[in-house]
Structures are given as C-alpha cells and as structure tokens.
Amino acid sequence: MSEIKTYPVNEYFTERALINTEQYQAMYQASVEDPEGFWAEHGQRIEWMKPYSKIKDVSFAYDDVHIRWFYDGTLNPTVSCLDRHLAERGDQTAIIWEGDDPTTDAKVTYRALYHKVCRLANALKAQGIKKGDVVTIYMPMVVEAAVAMLACARIGAIHSVIFGGFSPESIAGRVEDCQSNCIITADEGVRGGKIIPLKKNVDDALAKPGAATVKTVVVFQRTGNDIEWTEGRDVWYHDITDAASDECAPEEMSAEDPLFILYTSGSTGKPKGVMHTCGGYLVYASMTHQYIFDYQEGDIYWCTADVGWITGHSYIVYGPLANGAVTLMFEGVPNYPDVSRCWQVVDKHKVNVFYTAPTAIRALMQAGDDPVKSTSRESLRLLGTVGEPINPEAWEWYYHVVGDERCAIVDTWWQTETGGVLLTPLPGAIPVKPGSATLPFFGAIPGIVDNEGNLLEGVCEGNLVFKDSWPGQMRSVYGDHQRFKDTYFATYKGYYCSGDGARRDEDGYYWITGRVDDVLNVSGHRMGTAEVESALVAHHATSEAAVVGYPHDIKGQGIYAYVTLKKGYEETDELIQELKDFVRSEIGGIAVPDIIQWAPAVPKTRSGKIMRRILRKIACNELDSMGDTSTLADPTVVDNLIANRAHQ
Ligand code: WTA
C-alpha cells in the first residue's frame, strides 16, 4: 500500500491535542492488558449515584453470551448530561439549533435544557409513564427531540427513536415489537423546505392492528398547521409541560438497566431492537466524543446526523452533553436553500468540529468547489466522517477544499451495535491514510478471521470481528436474546462478528471493505435486502423479488431489484413507479429501489435458493466474472437477465 499517501499528525493538534502518539500507545496498551483497571478509572468520567466496584462481566461464548459493565453501580445518565453542569456552566449554550429556514436559529443553555427536560419528565409521569416503559420518539430535528430522549432517561423510561423518514407501517412494526405505550411526535416536520406529516404518519400507524398498546400521543407544535386529533389519546406537548414543575428528581437506575432501543436492519427478518444500557454506553459515548474530536472547552461542535440514527444518539445528544459541549442541531439538509448551506452554518456559528457522512461529501463535491470557496470556514479545525467507507477522492476533496489543508480528518468506523466509535484516528496521535479508519480506540480489540473463523495474522483480508467487549457494546436484542446470540456470536465462535469485511495493512491499519452480509448501505443508512424484498412481494402484482446492491456515485450503494410479476400483469413503466411508491409507503424513502428490472424468473440453485452472487454481478455489470454457474437450475434465466439488464 506504499502508493497510498500518509498524512502526518496535523500541526494544530500536535500542539493542543488531549492525546499524543505516545499517550495513545500507552493508554491503548493499558486498555488491552488490564481492561478492568483501565475502565475502573475511566468509568469515573460520568456521575454515579452508587459507585461501582464490579467492572466487567463478559462472555462471548455462544451458549452463554452476556455483557455487563460497572454492574453494581447506579446512576441516572441525565445527571451527567445536565445537573452536573449547572454550577459551572449553567449559562453556557448546550444546544445551538439551526432551523431549516436559514433565518431561524436558537440557543439553549444547560440550565434551560435542564428545566425543559424536567418539565417533560414530570409531564410524562403525570401521563402514567414509568420506569421500564418504552416511549417511541418520532420527531423532526428540533431541540425537543433531545429533550424527549433525556426526559425519558430522567424517569427511567426506555426511548425508541424512529427516524422521521420511516413510514406508518414501519412505526407500527416497531411499536408492536417493543410494546411501546406512548409516542412523542410533532404536528409536522420541515426539511429542505418541505413539510413532513409526522402526526398523520403516527395516526396511520396507530390505526393498524398491533399498535394498540399506545395510550398517549404527545404532540409538539412545530408548524401549527391543522392536524387530526384523537381526544383522550392525543395531548399537546406545550399543554402538559406548561403545567409541570421544572424540577424532577432523577430516577436511580442500575448501570445495566436499558437506556434506549434503536431499531436497525440486519441481513434477515425485520429490523431488530438494539438495546443499550445506562452506564457503559454513557462512559463510552462521552469518552470517544472527547478524544476523537479532541473536544475542549468552548469548542463548537456539529454532527449533521439525524437523532433517529445511532450517530445522533451518541454524538449529538449523549456524548457531547455528558462532556458539557456546545452541540449544534440542524433541522435542514445540506443542499437547501443551496449547496453552500453547511459552510454558511459553519461560518454563522463559528463551528470548530464538523462530522458528516461520505455520501454528503460526495454530493457536495459534485457541485464543485465554488459553493465551498465562497465561504470562509476559518473556524474549522477538525472534520469527521462516518457511516460508510469514504473513497480516497472524496477524502482528498474534504481535506483540500473544505478543510483548506488545515484541518485534521477522522474517519470513524462503528455501528448501531457498538454504541460508539471503535476504529478511528485520534487527531493528535495517529497519522492518517485516506480511506482507512486506521487503528482501534481504547479497549477495542479488532481481529480479522477467514470464512472458517480462523484468526489471521499480519497483513490480511477477511471478516472484521472483535475479541472482547467494550463498555458501549449493545447488550441484547430487545426481548430476543436468542436473536442477539445468533446474529453476532454464532458465525465465528468466541468473537463479536461485525458483518463487515476489512483488510489490515503493514502498519496495522484497518481498511473497511463493506458489508459481507445481505445488508445494504445506502447513503450511510442500513437497509436489509430481505426487508425490501418482503415489501415488494407484499404488492398484489408481484410473485417474487430479489434485491442486491450496486455501486452508486453519490449514495455509495444503490438498490437494484429484480421483480417477477404474477400471471396477468404487464411489465410497464407505470407499474415500476407504483412498486417504488409502494416500497416508500411500506418502509420509507430510503428503501425505494433505484432500479427495478423485470425478471421472468430469478436464478436459483437446484435446491431453490436465489443466487444473489449472480444477481449482484449483473447489477454491477461485472459480466466477465460471473463465476461458477453450474449449480443453476436453469441457465437460460441468467442469459435473459443479462440481455435485459436495466441501465443505470
Ligand atoms: C458502515 C453507523 C466504512 C459499516 C455509525 C457498518 C462504515 C455500518 C464506517 C453501520 C466507516 C460505518 N467506514 N464503513 N467509517 N462507519 N460504516 O449501524 O458497514 O447505521 O457495519 O451505524 O456502516 O451502520 P450503522
């Protein structure tokens, strides 16, 4: 890999960084050699009610998977995020809110945030919500979305945030899975100048069987437009919070009580409820946030994710607030009103740290340098990426054009399951190579195994696993521990299986090669091929569907669907559009196939299994390397698909 350029540690961070190269090496060594000692010390970075004396109790053995950290301690995570800042920084801004409309913004201090959280916490209690209940949050990117999460945590309710782009069908499925009894939503959302009918989606979801557990819908007024109202079920956010006290004692939680559930796509079945707990998650989210972004007093930090994803949970809300940071929440999108928006926001609020996804960088890169160069961006010190592999061209553009060759870049690899970043450079410690997530964070012990589960040494390529636990690791699939074991611990015995492929180079740097399972990564969002297939076959005209990913310039991966129609239906462009709309209503916009190809039949093995490998080759136009097709039941099926390949 000698032709790959290495960038030395950034000059600015050589001077100021919290962690330099020697410190990284020493701390990493300590975290691996004596995890109990290491985490006993670093667990103290958050506030505990009853201090822990037991640090770690972990088994990755398939028959007995269990993960516990700091497990005799008690705490309430909101005390670290709010109460402890009041004395020193009560009047400091906690959240800068930047509205979709560039003329709207707001600043909320730690004290104001504390009182907002306490009010909603009391209001939820008055609605009968209690410790252990699951509260669904389906909100736009407004301050009250963070308030809702923290208010749940304050009273020990488990929050389940659903991204505002998901459909009523998806909401209903998630509500049913976790038996949620309350939904916090808004009348409407506003994004890129468009209105999103959030309350209507909730109404439609609750009309479905299965969602009957929901007794209360709390509605935040964002636009004030007319909405349908169900008396006895719906309450206005402002009514119930105005009536509530602004002080609410924090519920005492065990370190291992659930803090939240977040649904994420896997290679099979419905999305699963990834469960994170109160203690270890907060320790890990706050520690990674501080060191990876070199967060120091006064820095203005902006993560562009939506709170509906894990990145929003860990790096807009919990990590930054636990660190007393100034965290920016952006309601809009990078290309509204125009493609300079991000940099205008950076200049307006003097942002020092900017964290986004490669798909956004690629889209902005396509619009050329001028929209970037017309802004100053001189406040920027550090640029981060997350969510998918970043191609070196996009990395270089980010570095040279956005960062003016002055900013450090951190390519952070992690997952909903990991709670926080596991592979990443630290800006003052680790030289970077464009396209590599570089080295493990403290406590993360990566390994690469072959398909038989043998651990590979030195320079190699294979499946990325982790050999031991870290405090931010998910503890279970909510309500289905068997699925947790089967998904992550059955394939390679004794290891946490990430589902990603990776290569390790001669410097020990990790290069993520993408998912090795049937999970797609579309614009940094996870989508299971099985989910899209089952949405397609739910349509009355279809008899079969097979979905694969293909390389897409902006999205990273696009969705390519092969669809077989039932007898009597015609293969028309109108029907293609109808199927796309149908998937949108079944799952949401992010699942809509980019391409649908009619398939009189899909290739199967003689035992009836769909041969996705071949479908992937056709979708990617790699027709010279189809590989072995001798197991096909009917080889002419493939010839037909090749002849009628849809053009991208
Ligand atoms: C991918 C997002 C390459 C990966 C935090 C992982 C990445 C999945 C990177 C998790 C990165 C995330 N380089 N690939 N820096 N970061 N991924 O659960 O395939 O939405 O398994 O969590 O995104 O997506 P998730």
Side-chain angles (χ1 to χ4, degrees), residues 264 309-311 385-390 411-417 423 437 498-500 512 514-515 521 524-526:
T264 194
W309 310 115
I310 189 69
T311 308
T385 78
V386 57
E388 38 171 339
I390 181 161
D411 175 357
T412 65
W413 179 92
W414 59 297
Q415 311 177 293
T416 306
E417 294 86 338
L423 300 175
S498 72
D500 275 27
I512 304 298
R515 300 289 304 192
N521 192 327
H525 300 145
R526 275 166 72 163

